[in-house]
């Protein structure tokens, strides 16, 4: 009975077998997720946490429990890679890298839904350019 | 007018002798007063000093480095056995970190009140030489023949002349930050650390002193001497005990996000402890540092620096959860309106009564939030906002508190590396001292003859430090056991007071603020003065301090006092100390009376100044009334049979026997099973080093078998016991046969067992549901089949209404067994359901983290009110797989886990023999079947019945390392009476008036200590007569109360003595 997540990715397209999510993430980010004590420091310090459907510590918990639906979480795309979580984690886990690993799992399947044409004129004028740069960089790995 | 010039040479602190610490160009006295005699005396002084330059050599038996609670215990334990001890401390006093604390968990005993008597006892011990303000520079030689170089820094104050009057500190113009108060206050360049310091001698802080000479001018006893030089002392000893303690992490560089050092109202827990202390900077009132306002809300952040792999320390600091709980409860009890929150990751309430203490704090209203705050920022009103995630509700929140306390890590002393080099012993990667064998010899350092005690090899609480210190004393005696022993203190001959008019001295104690803040000590003193026979009455800040005791002695001499009354705290803790003072002054120690105006007045009537004062006056009055009729009592001397009986042949019992044998003392191990080894026999291996149990047991059992001083009796049990300390006779039953043995002391090492779950968690109904012990036995016998899914449930039968305690070892055992399964069957998936992960201290925490990472154990936290449910297979409930329903506390959802192996971490209780032993030994046992020690903090190994001691899991479940430290400690305690060869009994005993005794025997049945026996009257054998065994009698008075013909009187508490006390209490006083 997991949380309702906001993404609408068809998880079958990812083709991860049982238990493979964790191995894949660990291979991509080089972090040992089992070192996490679930203390919540990363989540409390995250500047975007209010918008997230899963908080960063919950993302780690989902991976440990082999819940592939974590890939459908908005969190991994909201993460702006500011490294605050990584800086403060007492267990020295680089959560930012974990987020990147999750994004990579999707992107390497050539699933990219960024559609520049859909950005309205209004948005183009108000959103800082840096944000667009970050977004594109993030989405192409 | 500069008096002196000098270069501040750092060498001074490094312990390198200087030519001269202070160099006078022209001493002031000489300029002012140039007549010859003055000059001559100055020359004389200089010559005397020059003679002192010759290196002092002390020959002793044991050197103890560090005089905190561990060092003090080690020194006292060694000295009590008759060996000469030199103890040094780098500060100008003794007491270490414990005296900085306000109270101690879980009993909330006043910390200084339990430490101070030990400090005074140490300074008065005839076998102990105390050298403060000193360090060790070098250690040469081998066990039995060590040569240590001690560097004693000059205090520039003559200890024999200083009276501790504080005149010097008042005039000193220099103020520096006070490290004793954790930088919360300032002190002068001439100072004592705290009011109860031992020795009570002022010290000039060389680095801070500007050399103005003000102190010298006001010092009436002329104690200050700038010519006093630092000296090198050579100490020849047989062994060395190291107990230099720990430091507390200051989160200025690391963990900056919590704002320590930046925001005024963020403090460390040790600073908070100073705020609570009655002799701290705020005299016990918790105030904000920014504006001295009383905070309405306080927050605690746990694990600041601890359990950290990033910046900080990877280990758990072991005591923070409990001290934060203690500090929070004290603050809450003092002010119920205050809002208190503790932010934690796991609450490690692992020790005896800790869980109950934690539950009590929750009942008081202390809020516990599981979540480690991310950052802290300061608001305009200097309050602090904490950002955190409540991991149990999933909410990201901000709380604002008016004061924030950081529970910072215990870290190794900065100096350890230098000390390690000087002593030739190794430190580990964190900077703590290394043990030679972590599991089996935790007290032995990497150099033979050098032993470790207390926090120097990892964080520890007070009882664990004290046990270990006793253990170190046992080990330190081994190389010197055959040396000459010096027992007892020589007291001057007793003055005969019989028939003399009572001359009573009354001393009223402020106890810092403990008494003086709640009642009028001055008025109590004035009222006492008016009473007949009172020749002297005064009130003193701390009557138990060394200089006050000196004052009492002087008054006994000068004013010819022959009865002394101290109105202060409890005679249980302080009576002996004052009795020693009386004996030193030539008075019989029973001419002393204590009025407990702290517990009975200031504590219970803290809200009513007048009533508390009135009650104190009456208590003093009744003590005076009794004191008029006090008489000198004599004590019975009896010999000690030189052997110890050890009940239980597990690892603790065996280690105790070996430690005794090393001290040259015989022992008899009585083991109920066929072989030695206890619980360890059935276990597979021990964490954190994963050593196989047979590799631990076999060498020890072999050593025991070879040792001629140890007699082993297996298949046996103690059936009957008679006698008393020093003279026990026991009947041992061995395979149907019985035999009698004699011994002088007893060590109880009966261990623990898993509780009967009575079908909880479907235990016993399915073959796949087993306990941790059963699992280990299976692994050991290689009978564990490969499981697909393993679920472990921790805290089965623990921390609930019926058994409210934590089993202390469960988490560690579960983690180790998870590793064992995973190593053997890497494909098995392991889930561990837990409530709080209590892998405390050094090594355990790191072991836990390592197992999680390497073996991918999935941790699931479940709430105490939603215990996991077990569903048996419908088709095959006996052999089929089970599933476990668990509520995940972090994700707030229920999960169902399949399990073909379900392991229960079952709670524990006292061993099977407890009930029988309890009655035989006349010792108390708690609800869980564990034996109760005399004092939870400073006497963890002793029973109230003298001559009987305990160790290992009989006291409370314990891991191997703690059990061994305790076993060696218990051996040390049990060896003391044997080393002393003779002991003295109580003076307060029952006495039978033969003329009045009817021989009815009521007293015999009333006596709980079997001290009374009915015997035929020597002159008239047809008549029976009660006879009191003076060695067994504890002076409880039950017999006196039971006697119908008033034929029994209890000495010191005779009927007429009590009657006058009651009359004096009820007498209507003039004082209102």
């Amino acid at each position: 009975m997991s949380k309702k997540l906001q993404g609408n990715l068809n998880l079958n397209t990812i083709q991860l077998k049982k238990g493979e999510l964790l191995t894949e993430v660990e291979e991509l980010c080089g972090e040992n997720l089992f070192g996490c004590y679930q203390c919540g420091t990363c989540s409390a310090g995250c500047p975007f946490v209010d918008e997230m459907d899963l908080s960063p510590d919950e993302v780690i918990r989902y991976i440990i429990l082999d819940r592939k639906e974590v890939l459908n979480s908005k969190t991994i795309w909201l993460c702006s890679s500011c490294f605050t979580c990584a800086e403060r984690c007492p267990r020295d886990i680089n959560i930012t890298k974990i987020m990147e690993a999750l994004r990579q799992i999707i992107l390497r399947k050539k699933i990219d839904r960024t559609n520049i044409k859909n950005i309205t004129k209004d948005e183009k004028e108000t959103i800082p350019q840096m944000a667009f740069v970050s977004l594109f960089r993030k989405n192409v790995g | 007018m500069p008096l002196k010039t000098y270069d501040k040479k750092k060498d001074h602190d490094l312990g390198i002798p200087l030519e001269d610490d202070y160099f006078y160009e022209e001493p002031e006295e000489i300029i002012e007063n140039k007549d010859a005699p003055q000059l001559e005396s100055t020359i004389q002084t200089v010559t005397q000093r020059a003679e002192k330059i010759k290196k002092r050599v002390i020959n002793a038996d044991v050197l103890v480095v560090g005089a905190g609670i561990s060092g003090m215990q080690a020194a006292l334990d060694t000295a009590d056995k008759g060996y000469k001890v030199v103890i040094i401390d780098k500060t100008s006093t003794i007491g270490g970190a414990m005296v900085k604390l306000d109270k101690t968990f879980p009993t909330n005993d006043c910390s200084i009140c339990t430490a101070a008597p030990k400090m005074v006892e140490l300074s008065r011990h005839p076998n102990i030489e105390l050298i403060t303000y000193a360090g060790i520079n070098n250690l040469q030689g081998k066990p039995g023949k060590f040569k240590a170089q001690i560097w004693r820094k000059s205090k520039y104050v003559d200890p024999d002349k200083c009276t501790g009057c504080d005149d010097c500190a008042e005039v000193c113009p220099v103020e520096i930050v006070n490290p004793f108060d954790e930088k919360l206050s300032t002190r002068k360049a001439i100072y004592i650390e705290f009011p109860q310091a031992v020795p009570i001698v002022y010290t000039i802080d060389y680095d801070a002193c500007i050399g103005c000479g003000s102190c010298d001018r006001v010092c009436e006893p002329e104690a200050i001497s700038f010519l006093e030089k630092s000296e090198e002392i050579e100490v020849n000893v047989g062994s060395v005990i190291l107990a230099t303690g720990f430091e507390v992490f200051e989160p200025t560089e690391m963990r900056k996000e919590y704002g320590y050092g930046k925001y005024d109202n963020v403090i460390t827990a040790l600073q908070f402890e100073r705020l609570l202390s009655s002799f701290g900077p705020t005299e016990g009132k918790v105030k904000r540092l920014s504006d001295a306002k009383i905070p309405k809300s306080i927050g605690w952040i746990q694990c600041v620096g601890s359990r950290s792999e990033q910046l900080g320390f990877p280990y758990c600091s072991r005591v923070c959860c409990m001290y934060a709980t203690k500090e929070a409860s004290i603050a809450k009890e003092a002010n119920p309106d205050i809002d208190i929150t503790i932010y934690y990751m796991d609450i490690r309430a692992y020790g005896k009564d800790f869980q109950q203490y934690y539950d009590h704090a929750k009942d008081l209203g202390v809020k516990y939030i599981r979540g480690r705050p991310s950052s802290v920022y300061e608001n305009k009103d200097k309050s602090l906002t904490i950002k955190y995630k409540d991991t149990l509700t999933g909410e990201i929140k901000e709380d604002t508190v008016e004061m924030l306390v950081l529970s910072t890590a215990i870290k190794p002393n900065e100096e350890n590396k230098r000390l390690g080099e000087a002593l030739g012993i190794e430190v580990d990667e964190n900077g703590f001292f290394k043990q030679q064998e972590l599991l089996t010899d935790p007290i032995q350092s990497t150099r033979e003859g050098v032993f470790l005690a207390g926090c120097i090899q990892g964080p520890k609480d007070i009882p664990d430090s004290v046990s270990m210190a006793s253990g170190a004393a046992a080990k330190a005696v081994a190389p010197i056991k055959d040396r000459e022993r010096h027992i007892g203190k020589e007291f001057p001959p007793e003055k005969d007071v019989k028939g003399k008019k009572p001359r009573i001295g009354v001393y009223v104690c402020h106890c810092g603020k403990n008494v003086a803040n709640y009642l009028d000590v001055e008025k109590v003193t004035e009222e006492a003065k008016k009473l007949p026979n009172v020749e002297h009455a005064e009130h003193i800040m701390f009557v138990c301090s060394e200089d006050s005791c000196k004052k009492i002695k002087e008054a006994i001499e000068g004013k010819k006092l022959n009865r002394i009354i101290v109105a202060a705290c409890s005679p249980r803790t302080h009576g002996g100390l004052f009795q020693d003072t009386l004996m030193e002054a030539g008075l019989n120690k029973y001419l002393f009376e204590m009025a407990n105006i702290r517990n009975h007045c200031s504590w219970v009537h803290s809200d009513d100044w007048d009533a508390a004062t009135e009650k104190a006056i009456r208590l003093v009055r009744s003590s005076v009334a009794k004191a008029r009729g006090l008489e000198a009592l004599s004590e019975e001397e009896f010999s000690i049979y030189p052997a110890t009986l050890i009940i239980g042949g597990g690892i603790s019992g065996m280690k105790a026997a070996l430690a005794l044998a090393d001290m040259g003392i015989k022992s008899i191990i009585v083991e109920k099973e066929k072989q030695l080894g206890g619980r360890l026999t059935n276990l597979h291996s021990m964490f954190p080093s994963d050593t196989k149990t047979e590799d631990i047991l076999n060498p020890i059992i072999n050593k025991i078998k070879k040792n001629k001083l140890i007699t082993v009796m297996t298949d046996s049990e103690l059936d009957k016991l008679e006698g008393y300390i020093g003279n026990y006779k026991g009947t041992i039953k061995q395979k149907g046969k019985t035999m009698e043995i004699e011994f002088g002391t007893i060590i109880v090492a009966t261990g623990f067992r898993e509780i009967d779950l009575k079908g909880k968690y479907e235990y016993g109904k399915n073959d796949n549901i087993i306990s941790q012990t059963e699992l280990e036995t299976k692994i050991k016998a290689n009978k564990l089949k490969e499981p697909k899914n393993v679920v472990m449930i921790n805290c089965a039968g623990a921390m609930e209404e019926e058994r409210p305690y934590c089993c202390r070892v469960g988490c560690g055992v579960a983690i180790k067994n998870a590793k064992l399964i995973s190593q053997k069957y890497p494909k098995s998936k392991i889930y561990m359901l837990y409530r709080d992960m209590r892998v405390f201290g050094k090594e355990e925490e790191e072991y836990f983290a390592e197992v999680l990472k390497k073996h991918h154990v999935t941790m699931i936290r479940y709430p105490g009110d939603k215990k996991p449910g077990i569903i048996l297979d419908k088709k095959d409930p006996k052999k089929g797989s089970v599933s476990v329903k668990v509520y995940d506390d972090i994700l707030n959802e229920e999960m169902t886990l399949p399990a073909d192996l379900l392991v229960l971490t079952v709670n524990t209780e006292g061993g099977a023999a407890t009930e029988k032993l309890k009655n035989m030994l006349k010792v108390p046992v708690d609800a869980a079947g564990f034996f109760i020690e005399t004092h939870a903090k400073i006497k963890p190994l002793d029973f109230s019945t003298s001559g009987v001691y305990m160790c290992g899991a009989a006291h409370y479940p314990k891991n191997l390392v703690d059990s061994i430290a305790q076993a060696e400690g218990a051996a040390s305690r049990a060896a003391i009476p044997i080393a002393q060869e003779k002991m003295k009994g109580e003076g307060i005993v029952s006495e039978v008036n033969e003329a009045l005794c009817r021989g009815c025997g009521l007293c015999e049945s009333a006596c709980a200590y079997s001290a009374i026996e009915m015997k035929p009257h020597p002159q008239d054998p047809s008549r029976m007569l009660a006879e009191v065994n003076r060695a067994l009698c504890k002076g409880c008075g039950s017999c006196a109360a039971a006697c119908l013909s008033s034929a029994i009187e209890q000495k010191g508490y005779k009927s007429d003595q009590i009657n006058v006390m009651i009359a004096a209490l009820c007498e209507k006083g003039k004082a209102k």
Side-chain angles (χ1 to χ4, degrees), chain B residues 979-1047:
Chain B
Q980 292 183 348
E981 293 169 15
K982 279 190 181 102
M983 277 199 117
K984 274 185 171 175
E986 271 285 329
I988 297 171
V989 290
S990 290
E991 192 175 40
V992 181
N993 182 335
E994 294 186 6
L996 289 178
C997 177
R998 299 185 306 163
C1000 69
L1002 271 178
C1003 50
E1004 188 184 21
S1005 48
C1007 180
Y1009 305 97
S1010 317
I1012 297 184
E1013 215 179 321
M1014 302 308 293
K1015 283 187 175 165
H1017 195 285
Q1019 274 91 48
D1020 175 9
S1022 67
R1023 217 180 116 198
M1024 293 300 273
L1025 199 62
E1027 194 185 275
V1028 178
N1029 180 335
R1030 292 193 48 169
L1032 278 184
C1033 178
K1034 298 263 171 197
C1036 71
S1038 297
C1039 51
C1043 183
L1044 294 174
S1045 28
S1046 306

Side-chain angles (χ1 to χ4, degrees), chain B residues 2 20 30 37 55 78 85 125 166 208 280 321 348 379 382 592 608 679-680 694 697 742 777 842 859 1001:
Chain B
D20 206 335
I30 303 171
K55 202 195 244 176
T78 314
V85 176
H125 204 292
D166 203 46
C321 287
R348 296 193 163 160
N379 303 308
K382 297 272 175 191
F592 167 76
D608 193 339
R679 273 185 66 83
L680 242 55
E694 49 264 34
L697 281 178
E742 274 186 280
T777 317
K842 212 161 77 76
M859 304 297 292

Side-chain angles (χ1 to χ4, degrees), chain B residues 417-674:
Chain B
K417 222 174 153 239
R418 186 199 72 82
L419 204 58
E421 272 165 25
L423 295 172
I425 57 174
E426 288 171 40
V427 292
D428 68 10
E429 66 282 4
N430 296 309
F432 289 110
F433 288 108
K434 254 192 193 164
Q435 295 103 327
Q436 184 66 30
E437 295 278 344
L438 170 66
L439 273 183
T440 52
D441 209 354
I443 292 167
Q444 173 68 53
S445 76
T446 52
R447 179 172 180 180
E448 228 185 305
V450 181
F451 306 99
L452 309 170
C455 287
I456 51 169
Q457 27 88 315
K460 237 167 233 75
D461 63 2
I462 295 168
D464 288 341
S465 299
V466 169
S467 306
M468 199 177 172
S470 283
K475 304 211 78 141
V477 163
I480 49 147
K481 62 175 192 292
D482 297 326
R483 293 194 188 178
E484 190 197 348
R485 294 196 297 263
H486 314 263
I487 304 292
K489 207 167 173 179
E490 288 292 311
F491 289 109
E494 269 176 24
K495 293 170 196 155
D496 188 11
V497 298
K498 211 171 181 181
K500 286 199 180 132
K501 194 177 146 241
R503 293 176 65 84
I504 303 172
V506 179
Y507 293 85
V508 183
C509 184
H510 292 214
C511 196
K513 306 281 168 193
N514 274 323
V515 172
N517 261 18
Y518 303 100
L519 57 89
D520 191 341
V521 282
E522 212 155 298
K523 196 167 165 190
V524 175
T525 315
E526 286 314 307
E527 288 298 321
K529 274 186 191 161
K530 293 178 198 161
L531 297 169
N533 299 99
V534 173
E535 299 295 331
H536 176 80
E538 67 174 307
H539 54 92
I540 301 179
M541 184 59 97
F542 288 102
V543 181
C544 60
S545 70
E546 216 189 337
D547 65 323
S548 308
C549 290
K550 216 155 99 187
K551 269 189 189 166
I552 298 177
K553 268 192 272 177
E554 281 162 11
I556 293 172
E557 295 294 327
K559 299 197 172 182
K560 301 225 171 337
L561 302 178
N562 55 22
R563 311 277 193 284
I564 297 294
I565 290 166
V566 173
C569 52
S570 164
R572 255 191 77 206
T573 54
H574 286 65
L577 165 72
F578 296 120
Q579 288 185 323
D580 265 9
T581 311
L582 261 70
M583 289 196 284
E584 280 165 23
L587 274 187
N588 182 279
K589 72 181 203 188
Y590 296 98
L591 297 168
F592 167 76
E593 189 62 27
M594 243 178 133
N596 190 344
I597 61 168
R598 188 188 67 182
N599 302 27
H600 298 171
C601 303
S602 68
W603 281 2
V604 285
H605 305 294
S606 56
D607 53 348
D608 193 339
W609 173 276
D610 290 333
T613 309
E614 173 64 22
K615 189 174 173 188
I617 291 170
R618 282 171 186 246
L619 283 178
V620 171
R621 193 163 64 206
S622 88
S623 295
V624 170
K626 183 184 174 189
R628 283 186 207 116
L630 281 179
E631 46 192 15
L633 303 178
S634 66
E635 292 171 340
E636 184 102 330
E637 201 179 67
F638 51 94
S639 60
I640 307 283
Y641 189 87
T644 302
L645 175 76
I646 298 168
I647 308 172
I651 188 79
S652 303
M654 289 195 292
K655 271 288 186 180
L658 285 175
L660 283 166
D662 285 345
M663 289 185 275
I665 294 170
K666 281 188 196 156
S667 62
I668 309 120
I669 301 178
V670 176
E671 167 60 46
K672 63 176 191 302
E673 299 294 335
K674 272 202 288 293

